[in-house]
Amino acid sequence: MQDFKWFPDDPLYKKYYPDNPLYRHYFEREWGIPSHDDAQLFELLTIGIFAAGLNWDVAFSKRAALQTAFHNWNLTQIAAMTETDVATLLANPAIIRNRLKIEATIHNAQVVVQLQRQYGSFDAYLWSLVHYKQARFEINGFADLPKKTPESDRIAKQMKRDGFKFTGSVAVYAYMLSVGLISVRLDGRGVEPLPENK
């Protein structure tokens, strides 16, 4: 991608770009670019959950295994998973075998299914949290990004009220950046039309 620009001080970028195809696709095509796809939005939320207490690198390396374990991010199927399914996942060495995170993923899928009925989509729910307006910041380096903001504090509290687990302010802010609720990309990608305010 000829116009691709990234933060030179990002440790993951320095470690993996351009040789790792998984990260190359993520840097160039995903991070900070709104997809408006509920499955992908839930996937990125879940990877963040599995990264809690570890780091994004560890969880992201399990991306393909997590996709298989959680039914290709089919929210209805995830929401219907049982204790037997949890036991199966706890025996799966390809994923991060943490009961609380596995159970939180299933629980969050159940929450999202309810929100889809209320808002029409998970995407619409997320944009409602920022009043259907993408925040746009200009920064010079990855180190300029805060760990959290008053806005992420507010949204984390609302998501907790709505039933989500593992969505503290730090995790929520990182998620807002990754799914393009906040636009900070150096190449200007990710500034796209927003869903209609219903």
Side-chain angles (χ1 to χ4, degrees):
M1 179 178 291
Q2 293 181 345
D3 62 346
F4 175 68
K5 296 179 182 179
W6 198 258
F7 308 101
D9 61 333
D10 179 359
L12 291 180
Y13 173 78
K14 290 191 289 186
K15 184 176 181 180
Y16 291 114
Y17 192 87
D19 297 328
N20 185 302
L22 182 67
Y23 273 93
R24 181 169 185 165
H25 178 85
Y26 180 66
F27 289 134
E28 293 183 353
R29 305 287 183 181
E30 290 187 86
W31 190 88
I33 300 174
S35 74
H36 308 304
D37 177 82
D38 281 7
Q40 185 181 20
L41 291 168
F42 188 77
E43 175 189 17
L44 293 174
L45 177 68
T46 302
I47 292 173
I49 288 171
F50 276 89
L54 301 169
N55 58 57
W56 179 262
D57 188 12
V58 172
F60 196 72
S61 68
K62 306 285 187 180
R63 185 175 191 176
L66 288 169
Q67 179 176 349
T68 300
F70 289 109
H71 302 287
N72 294 310
W73 306 113
N74 182 302
L75 285 155
T76 302
Q77 288 184 279
I78 299 169
M81 292 176 75
T82 65
E83 179 58 35
T84 300
D85 296 312
V86 172
T88 298
L89 293 184
L90 287 171
N92 182 353
I95 69 169
I96 297 168
R97 292 178 285 182
N98 181 298
R99 175 180 285 275
L100 290 178
K101 294 176 181 180
I102 291 169
E103 291 177 341
T105 299
I106 296 169
H107 172 83
N108 286 346
Q110 294 167 351
V111 172
V112 169
V113 168
Q114 292 296 324
L115 290 170
Q116 286 176 323
R117 294 171 183 153
Q118 182 178 353
Y119 288 87
S121 67
F122 183 37
D123 175 57
Y125 164 77
L126 290 173
W127 285 101
S128 76
L129 294 175
V130 294
H131 310 295
Y132 301 92
K133 184 177 181 181
Q134 183 186 51
R136 296 169 185 170
F137 303 147
E138 292 186 6
I139 59 174
N140 295 317
F142 207 73
D144 294 334
L145 291 172
K147 296 297 184 183
K148 62 177 184 175
T149 65
E151 183 78 347
S152 69
D153 290 342
R154 178 186 66 78
I155 291 173
K157 290 177 182 177
Q158 183 60 53
M159 291 182 74
K160 183 178 181 180
R161 284 193 292 268
D162 292 333
F164 285 97
K165 295 182 177 180
F166 280 88
T167 51
S169 184
V170 173
V172 164
Y173 188 70
Y175 182 63
M176 292 169 70
L177 289 165
S178 70
V179 301
L181 295 174
I182 302 170
S183 175
V184 296
R185 286 183 65 108
L186 298 180
D187 57 13
R189 299 195 71 210
V191 180
E192 299 182 357
L194 306 184
E196 293 183 2
N197 184 348
K198 297 179 179 179

